Coordinates of all heavy atoms in Angstrom, one line a residue:
A184 N -11.5 5.7 -22.2 CA -11.3 4.5 -21.4 C -10.3 4.8 -20.2 O -10.5 4.3 -19.1 CB -10.7 3.4 -22.3
Q187 N -12.2 6.6 -17.6 CA -13.0 5.6 -16.9 C -12.1 4.8 -15.8 O -12.6 4.6 -14.7 CB -13.5 4.6 -17.9 CG -14.8 3.9 -17.6 CD -15.1 3.1 -18.8 OE1 -14.6 3.3 -19.9 NE2 -16.0 2.1 -18.6
I188 N -10.9 4.5 -16.2 CA -10.0 3.8 -15.3 C -9.8 4.7 -14.1 O -9.9 4.2 -12.9 CB -8.7 3.5 -16.0 CG1 -8.8 2.4 -17.0 CG2 -7.6 3.0 -14.9 CD1 -7.6 2.0 -17.8
Y189 N -9.5 6.0 -14.3 CA -9.2 6.8 -13.2 C -10.5 6.9 -12.3 O -10.3 6.8 -11.1 CB -8.8 8.2 -13.7 CG -8.6 9.1 -12.5 CD1 -7.3 9.1 -11.8 CD2 -9.6 9.9 -11.9 CE1 -7.1 9.9 -10.7 CE2 -9.4 10.7 -10.8 CZ -8.1 10.6 -10.2 OH -7.9 11.4 -9.0
D190 N -11.6 7.1 -12.9 CA -12.8 7.3 -12.1 C -13.1 6.1 -11.2 O -13.7 6.2 -10.1 CB -14.0 7.6 -13.0 CG -13.9 8.9 -13.7 OD1 -13.1 9.7 -13.2 OD2 -14.6 9.1 -14.7
S191 N -12.7 4.9 -11.7 CA -13.0 3.7 -10.8 C -11.9 3.3 -9.9 O -12.1 2.5 -9.1 CB -13.4 2.5 -11.7 OG -12.3 2.1 -12.4
T192 N -10.7 4.0 -10.0 CA -9.6 3.6 -9.1 C -9.2 4.7 -8.2 O -8.4 4.5 -7.3 CB -8.4 3.2 -9.9 OG1 -8.0 4.2 -10.8 CG2 -8.6 1.9 -10.7
H198 N -3.5 0.4 -8.9 CA -4.7 -0.2 -9.4 C -5.0 0.2 -10.8 O -5.5 -0.6 -11.6 CB -5.8 0.3 -8.4 CG -7.1 -0.4 -8.5 ND1 -8.2 -0.1 -7.7 CD2 -7.5 -1.5 -9.3 CE1 -9.2 -0.9 -8.1 NE2 -8.8 -1.8 -9.0
V202 N -5.6 -2.3 -13.9 CA -6.8 -2.4 -14.8 C -6.5 -2.2 -16.2 O -7.0 -2.9 -17.1 CB -7.8 -1.3 -14.3 CG1 -9.0 -1.2 -15.3 CG2 -8.4 -1.6 -12.9
M203 N -5.5 -1.3 -16.5 CA -5.2 -1.0 -17.9 C -4.5 -2.3 -18.5 O -4.8 -2.7 -19.6 CB -4.3 0.1 -18.1 CG -3.9 0.4 -19.5 SD -3.1 2.0 -19.8 CE -1.5 1.6 -19.4
A205 N -5.0 -5.4 -17.6 CA -6.1 -6.4 -17.8 C -6.9 -6.1 -19.1 O -7.1 -7.0 -19.9 CB -7.0 -6.4 -16.6
A206 N -7.2 -4.8 -19.3 CA -8.0 -4.5 -20.5 C -7.1 -4.7 -21.7 O -7.6 -5.2 -22.7 CB -8.4 -3.0 -20.4
M209 N -7.1 -8.0 -23.1 CA -8.3 -8.4 -23.9 C -8.3 -7.9 -25.3 O -9.2 -8.0 -26.0 CB -9.6 -7.9 -23.2 CG -9.7 -8.4 -21.8 SD -11.2 -7.6 -21.0 CE -10.8 -7.9 -19.3
A214 N -13.5 1.3 -23.9 CA -14.5 1.4 -22.8 C -15.0 0.0 -22.5 O -15.1 -0.4 -21.3 CB -15.6 2.3 -23.3
A215 N -15.3 -0.9 -23.5 CA -15.9 -2.2 -23.2 C -14.9 -3.0 -22.4 O -15.3 -3.7 -21.4 CB -16.2 -2.9 -24.5
N216 N -13.6 -3.1 -22.8 CA -12.6 -3.9 -22.1 C -12.3 -3.4 -20.7 O -12.1 -4.2 -19.8 CB -11.4 -4.0 -22.9 CG -11.5 -4.9 -24.1 OD1 -12.5 -5.6 -24.2 ND2 -10.6 -4.8 -25.1
V217 N -12.3 -2.1 -20.6 CA -12.1 -1.5 -19.2 C -13.2 -1.9 -18.3 O -13.0 -2.3 -17.2 CB -11.9 0.0 -19.3 CG1 -12.0 0.7 -17.9 CG2 -10.5 0.4 -19.9
N218 N -14.4 -1.7 -18.8 CA -15.6 -2.2 -18.0 C -15.5 -3.6 -17.6 O -15.7 -3.9 -16.4 CB -16.9 -2.0 -18.9 CG -17.7 -0.8 -18.4 OD1 -17.5 -0.4 -17.2 ND2 -18.4 -0.2 -19.3
A219 N -15.1 -4.4 -18.6 CA -15.0 -5.9 -18.2 C -13.9 -6.1 -17.2 O -14.0 -6.9 -16.3 CB -14.7 -6.6 -19.5
A220 N -12.8 -5.4 -17.4 CA -11.7 -5.5 -16.5 C -12.0 -5.1 -15.1 O -11.7 -5.7 -14.1 CB -10.4 -4.7 -16.9
I221 N -12.8 -4.0 -15.0 CA -13.2 -3.5 -13.7 C -14.2 -4.5 -13.1 O -14.1 -4.8 -11.9 CB -13.8 -2.1 -13.8 CG1 -12.7 -1.1 -14.2 CG2 -14.5 -1.7 -12.5 CD1 -13.3 0.3 -14.6
G222 N -15.1 -4.9 -13.9 CA -16.1 -5.9 -13.5 C -15.5 -7.2 -12.9 O -15.8 -7.6 -11.9
L223 N -14.6 -7.7 -13.8 CA -13.9 -8.9 -13.4 C -13.2 -8.7 -12.0 O -13.2 -9.6 -11.2 CB -12.8 -9.2 -14.4 CG -13.1 -10.0 -15.6 CD1 -11.9 -10.3 -16.4 CD2 -13.7 -11.4 -15.1
S224 N -12.5 -7.6 -11.9 CA -11.7 -7.4 -10.8 C -12.5 -6.9 -9.6 O -12.3 -7.4 -8.5 CB -10.6 -6.3 -11.1 OG -11.3 -5.2 -11.6
G225 N -13.4 -6.0 -9.9 CA -14.1 -5.4 -8.8 C -15.4 -6.1 -8.3 O -15.4 -7.0 -7.6
R226 N -16.5 -5.5 -8.9 CA -17.8 -5.9 -8.4 C -18.0 -7.4 -8.3 O -18.5 -7.9 -7.3 CB -18.9 -5.3 -9.2 CG -19.5 -4.1 -8.7 CD -20.7 -3.7 -9.4 NE -21.8 -4.4 -9.1 CZ -23.1 -4.0 -9.3 NH1 -23.3 -2.9 -9.9 NH2 -24.1 -4.8 -9.0
S227 N -17.7 -8.1 -9.4 CA -18.1 -9.5 -9.3 C -17.3 -10.3 -8.3 O -17.8 -11.2 -7.7 CB -17.9 -10.2 -10.7 OG -16.5 -10.1 -11.1
K228 N -16.0 -9.9 -8.1 CA -15.2 -10.5 -7.0 C -15.8 -10.3 -5.6 O -15.9 -11.1 -4.8 CB -13.8 -10.1 -7.0 CG -13.0 -10.8 -8.1 CD -11.5 -10.6 -8.0 CE -10.8 -11.3 -9.1 NZ -9.5 -10.7 -9.4
Y255 N -4.9 -7.1 -5.1 CA -5.5 -6.3 -6.2 C -5.5 -4.8 -5.8 O -5.6 -4.0 -6.7 CB -6.9 -6.8 -6.6 CG -7.3 -6.2 -7.8 CD1 -6.7 -6.6 -9.0 CD2 -8.2 -5.1 -7.8 CE1 -7.0 -6.0 -10.2 CE2 -8.5 -4.5 -9.0 CZ -7.9 -4.9 -10.2 OH -8.2 -4.3 -11.4
M257 N -7.9 -3.2 -3.9 CA -9.2 -2.5 -3.8 C -9.2 -1.9 -2.4 O -8.8 -2.5 -1.4 CB -10.3 -3.6 -3.9 CG -11.7 -2.9 -3.7 SD -13.0 -4.1 -3.9 CE -13.1 -4.2 -5.7
Y265 N -19.2 -1.7 -3.4 CA -19.6 -2.8 -4.3 C -20.4 -3.8 -3.7 O -21.4 -4.4 -4.2 CB -18.3 -3.5 -4.9 CG -17.5 -2.6 -5.8 CD1 -16.1 -2.5 -5.7 CD2 -18.1 -1.9 -6.9 CE1 -15.4 -1.7 -6.6 CE2 -17.4 -1.1 -7.7 CZ -16.0 -1.0 -7.6 OH -15.3 -0.2 -8.4

Side-chain angles (χ1 to χ4, degrees):
Q187 207 177 340
I188 292 178
Y189 180 84
D190 292 340
S191 68
T192 55
H198 194 182
V202 171
M203 183 168 81
M209 299 174 198
N216 288 345
V217 165
N218 254 334
I221 292 167
L223 271 183
S224 52
R226 261 190 78 162
S227 63
K228 282 193 183 156
Y255 193 74
M257 177 178 285
Y265 291 133

